[in-house]
Amino acid sequence: MSTDNPVSQYAVRLADDALILGHRLSEWCSRGPFLEEDLALSNVALDYIGRARMFYGYAAELSGDDRSEDDFAFLRDCRDFGNLLIHELPRGDFAFTMARQYLVDVHSVAFMTDLQSSTDATLAAIAGKAVKESNYHLRRSRDWMLRLGGGTEESHRRLQHAVDELWGFTPEMFEMDELEKSLAGQGVAVDVSRLQPAWDTEVRATLAAANMSIPEEDWQVSGGRQGKHTEWLGHLLSDLQFMQRAYPGLEW
Amino acid sequence: MTDNLSDQQLEQRETEFQQRIDAEEKIEPKDWMPEKYRQNLIRQMSQHAHSEVIGMQPEGNWITRAPTLHRKAILLAKVQDEGGHGLYLYSAAETLGISREELIASLHSGSAKYASIFNYPTLSWADIGAIGWLVDGAAICNQVSLQRTSYGPYSRGMVRICKEESFHQRQGYHIMMTLARGSAEQKEMAQDALNRFWWPSLMMFGPHDADSVHSAQSMKWKIKRQSNDELRQKFVDQSVKQAEVIELELPDPDLKWNEERGHYDFGEIDWEEFKRSMTGGGPCSRQRLAHNIQAHDDGAWVREAMRAYESKKREAKDQAVA
Ligand SMILES: [Fe+2]
Ligand SMILES: [Fe+2]
């Protein structure tokens, strides 16, 4: 179910990022370390689900057929999902969830800030809403990096482990393929390759403040944008898409 | 609080307290209150708070599987609201001089209860509709009445909570309506959910007035404003009409309009099942508690880290000052 319009394809990627991470965050519901944090995680999940709906909605509009946001979310298989791999990794423990969130938040703030000046007015408007949310998410996730890094021996150990496990999934956030290069050339898409130096500086500063050591950069995995996913995504989709697959074509 | 009072003074205080209640004055945290009033409130409010929190599980069970993104967002927001209600209620209970840790510990030890309805499983998407419609509907009947409860913080909490509950009920009813008007399969799914959740919803109002241990005193202190049976009747009356509109059938052959009473008569609740479900024998009783304990235990290192970090920060600050 690929779609020809490049802007639509781009919007679907961004929607996939938001939906898949929102799904992972929503898995925390009723499982948070305390009630306030449980609610805060659901809140962030809700922001992402909302973001996914806006991007899918726009993609559907551009595609010009009668597809809806739900067709994009529920009726495509792994190979057609274009989210970055870091979003689909299982939620892990609280340190893993927060470390991922932090690494993604630093990226999102810069990304959405840039996308706000996209020549595509709709993408720019969605980014305007998203950047406010991501700024708030980042304040929270950065605080948790400091707390867990500077808390107890156990929290420090868990956070270091999480950062080590995530590190090789971060370079993918700055890769550009032909679609994005061409759209960036027209001022529609964000040139993510340019965001890397600032991301690196900021993340390293936070890791230092949280007494974390910087992981060895000797591995890296990517392929999400081309639909080459981890095995985790298929299981996520079988959960996410269960209803639409078991009872196709109905109103809910 | 009552340590230094003579019997006579105590009696005097209690009389004055009852006069304030009778005059519809709200009791505030710093006011004198009989120890039994305090205990009774802690029991009821903590049971209420635990119900909100445990209730996140059966509905949370469908967040990742909601059939559309729109339904997913609504359900996630709804479950989040319920957690928020739990939070208000824990805070309101804390004004009575008990900590949240103590409240949670008595939930985990089994000494504090929560609504037995949450010990039933959510097996299909329609169950999310049935819970919103019936369980939130029943909760509203209760909570509207509790807006006039005599304890100030509880009463104000209820006012705030009620505003959100009516949205919860509407979204649940809307799910049921959509299913009932959908395919044959969907309609069957809705009817099945109604069949399973109807009786447990009636049980939410508690035992008959005559069999309710705490009822008489709670009514006198105006902790409760309407009896279990009164509220249950109100709920039945409203649900009959709502079921008719969406052409689903309430699973009770004895349900019949009683002209004389001006209410619907309905069949007898299976009180043995109610007792079983309240005392750990509901289909999901053990699972619900284990889930909550697991989350609490898994979060222990996080809470510890937070405390350690705060105290390190304070120390550093103190040193900087010294
Ligand atoms: Fe509630
Ligand atoms: Fe509710």
Side-chain angles (χ1 to χ4, degrees):
Chain A
M1 212 167 82
S2 69
T3 158
D4 293 327
N5 183 318
V7 181
S8 172
Q9 284 183 49
Y10 186 58
V12 169
R13 290 179 174 190
L14 301 182
D16 290 347
D17 282 339
L19 178 63
I20 299 303
L21 184 55
H23 183 99
R24 286 300 186 212
L25 287 164
S26 77
E27 292 172 339
W28 275 97
C29 186
S30 82
R31 296 182 177 88
F34 50 96
L35 198 45
E36 287 84 345
E37 189 53 38
D38 201 305
L39 302 183
L41 284 164
S42 294
N43 221 13
V44 179
L46 262 174
D47 285 344
Y48 276 103
I49 305 294
R51 197 177 293 184
R53 294 185 65 196
M54 288 187 286
F55 282 126
Y56 283 137
Y58 185 44
E61 198 185 308
L62 289 173
S63 66
D65 44 35
D66 55 4
R67 264 179 294 171
S68 70
E69 57 176 26
D70 290 327
D71 293 328
F72 285 101
F74 297 107
L75 299 179
R76 288 177 306 142
D77 205 345
C78 268
R79 297 284 283 113
D80 289 320
F81 266 77
N83 60 281
L84 300 170
L85 301 178
I86 194 169
H87 296 127
E88 70 199 43
L89 303 175
R91 67 190 167 94
D93 64 5
F94 186 74
F96 188 88
T97 283
M98 273 307 155
R100 162 170 51 197
Q101 198 57 45
Y102 171 70
L103 298 172
V104 166
D105 285 342
V106 177
H107 177 267
S108 289
V109 167
F111 182 93
M112 292 299 169
T113 303
D114 262 23
L115 191 63
Q116 273 183 295
S117 36
S118 169
T119 52
D120 184 294
T122 308
L123 291 180
I126 298 172
K129 185 168 184 298
V131 74
K132 288 192 198 97
E133 295 164 356
S134 284
N135 267 311
Y136 165 75
H137 301 166
L138 175 59
R139 271 205 300 281
R140 260 178 42 79
S141 60
R142 187 171 185 281
D143 277 353
W144 273 115
M145 293 295 284
L146 300 179
R147 278 190 206 128
L148 298 182
T152 60
E153 220 169 284
E154 181 176 6
S155 68
H156 184 272
R157 175 173 54 74
R158 284 176 183 265
L159 187 65
Q160 184 67 62
H161 180 71
V163 171
D164 291 348
E165 289 302 306
L166 284 156
W167 200 248
F169 289 97
T170 58
E172 191 190 9
M173 296 195 285
F174 307 101
E175 284 174 9
M176 296 285 286
D177 66 356
E178 288 312 316
L179 174 76
E180 295 188 19
K181 276 182 195 157
S182 132
L183 287 174
Q186 301 160 41
V188 173
V190 175
D191 182 353
V192 285
S193 65
R194 290 177 41 220
L195 303 179
Q196 189 155 23
W199 182 89
D200 226 59
T201 309
E202 186 168 341
V203 167
R204 282 167 194 270
T206 300
L207 291 179
N211 309 315
M212 294 284 111
S213 47
I214 310 291
E216 306 271 331
E217 291 171 71
D218 61 352
W219 64 282
Q220 133 174 17
V221 188
S222 59
R225 294 290 190 229
Q226 277 67 50
K228 291 178 181 159
H229 291 278
T230 67
E231 289 178 350
W232 304 114
L233 185 66
H235 294 281
L236 186 156
L237 295 182
S238 68
D239 188 23
L240 172 77
Q241 301 180 336
F242 164 70
M243 288 296 290
Q244 293 282 354
R245 300 293 191 180
Y247 305 94
L250 302 175
E251 291 292 314
W252 299 96
Chain B
M1 219 183 270
T2 56
D3 296 356
N4 306 320
L5 297 178
S6 70
D7 286 357
Q8 214 174 6
Q9 283 170 315
L10 191 60
E11 209 170 296
Q12 178 63 24
R13 289 266 174 103
E14 279 174 1
T15 311
E16 283 165 11
F17 180 81
Q18 190 62 48
Q19 281 164 353
R20 293 188 61 196
I21 299 277
D22 294 342
E24 295 289 328
E25 271 181 54
K26 293 279 180 253
I27 307 303
E28 295 300 333
K30 293 211 160 59
D31 298 347
W32 186 88
M33 63 186 80
E35 184 54 22
K36 284 227 169 82
Y37 176 85
R38 197 178 77 89
Q39 291 301 342
N40 193 324
L41 266 176
I42 289 177
R43 186 187 52 76
Q44 183 171 331
M45 290 167 73
S46 70
Q47 180 167 336
H48 196 161
H50 298 325
S51 300
E52 301 280 3
V53 171
I54 296 291
M56 295 168 79
Q57 290 180 42
E59 291 187 281
N61 185 37
W62 280 89
I63 289 172
T64 58
R65 289 180 292 168
T68 68
L69 293 180
H70 181 59
R71 291 286 185 208
K72 185 191 290 291
I74 292 177
L75 180 60
L76 188 51
K78 195 254 184 200
V79 176
Q80 193 194 23
D81 280 351
E82 305 299 6
H85 298 168
L87 209 51
Y88 290 161
L89 285 161
Y90 282 132
S91 309
E94 281 181 312
T95 64
L96 293 160
I98 187 161
S99 69
R100 199 191 317 172
E101 290 71 38
E102 291 172 285
L103 293 169
I104 290 173
S106 38
L107 171 67
H108 291 174
S109 75
S111 65
K113 302 282 175 234
Y114 59 85
S116 62
I117 188 98
F118 300 122
N119 289 328
Y120 294 88
T122 50
L123 302 177
S124 78
W125 170 251
D127 292 8
I128 299 307
I131 288 183
W133 173 29
L134 301 172
V135 178
D136 287 81
I140 292 172
C141 288
N142 238 326
Q143 290 169 354
V144 163
S145 175
L146 285 172
Q147 290 180 343
R148 292 162 52 237
T149 191
S150 58
Y151 188 54
Y154 195 20
S155 158
R156 288 188 290 274
M158 285 302 112
V159 173
R160 222 171 136 179
I161 286 173
C162 277
K163 286 191 189 129
E164 292 175 348
E165 293 294 3
S166 56
F167 154 72
H168 296 171
Q169 191 190 19
R170 272 203 308 277
Q171 65 85 29
Y173 188 62
H174 191 259
I175 290 174
M176 289 303 259
M177 184 188 290
T178 309
L179 295 175
R181 292 178 181 167
S183 71
E185 215 173 7
Q186 284 174 308
K187 177 151 190 173
E188 194 184 310
M189 196 187 274
Q191 183 63 53
D192 174 58
L194 174 56
N195 293 348
R196 285 180 288 111
F197 278 93
W198 174 249
W199 290 103
S201 303
L202 296 190
M203 294 176 197
M204 282 176 72
F205 296 95
H208 282 309
D209 298 344
D211 307 323
S212 177
V213 201
H214 306 284
S215 265
Q217 185 60 61
S218 291
M219 294 285 281
K220 185 164 174 244
W221 275 330
K222 298 188 178 172
I223 292 175
K224 282 169 82 160
R225 301 306 305 251
Q226 281 170 292
S227 77
N228 295 353
D229 286 328
E230 270 177 279
L231 291 166
R232 185 163 22 234
Q233 182 70 59
K234 189 178 156 208
F235 174 71
V236 169
D237 291 346
Q238 81 183 31
S239 302
V240 171
K241 291 183 196 97
Q242 291 164 348
E244 268 168 20
V245 171
I246 56 177
E247 291 174 22
L248 292 177
E249 214 174 304
L250 298 180
D252 179 358
D254 297 327
L255 195 72
K256 206 169 74 239
W257 176 251
N258 182 327
E259 192 64 57
E260 215 171 293
R261 292 200 309 125
H263 290 292
Y264 282 91
D265 290 338
F266 53 98
E268 192 52 73
I269 287 167
D270 180 351
W271 293 109
E272 280 309 310
E273 182 181 333
F274 175 69
K275 244 184 273 166
R276 258 200 313 280
S277 182
M278 270 320 258
T279 50
C284 301
S285 304
R286 303 181 74 82
Q287 176 194 340
R288 298 287 184 247
L289 209 53
H291 178 117
N292 196 269
I293 291 171
Q294 178 85 54
H296 190 74
D297 291 352
D298 287 349
W301 70 268
V302 180
R303 299 190 298 274
E304 230 169 88
M306 210 165 65
R307 279 193 297 271
Y309 180 72
E310 290 307 320
S311 75
K312 279 183 203 170
K313 243 174 61 179
R314 260 196 312 276
E315 270 169 40
K317 215 179 183 179
D318 291 348
Q319 259 168 19
V321 171

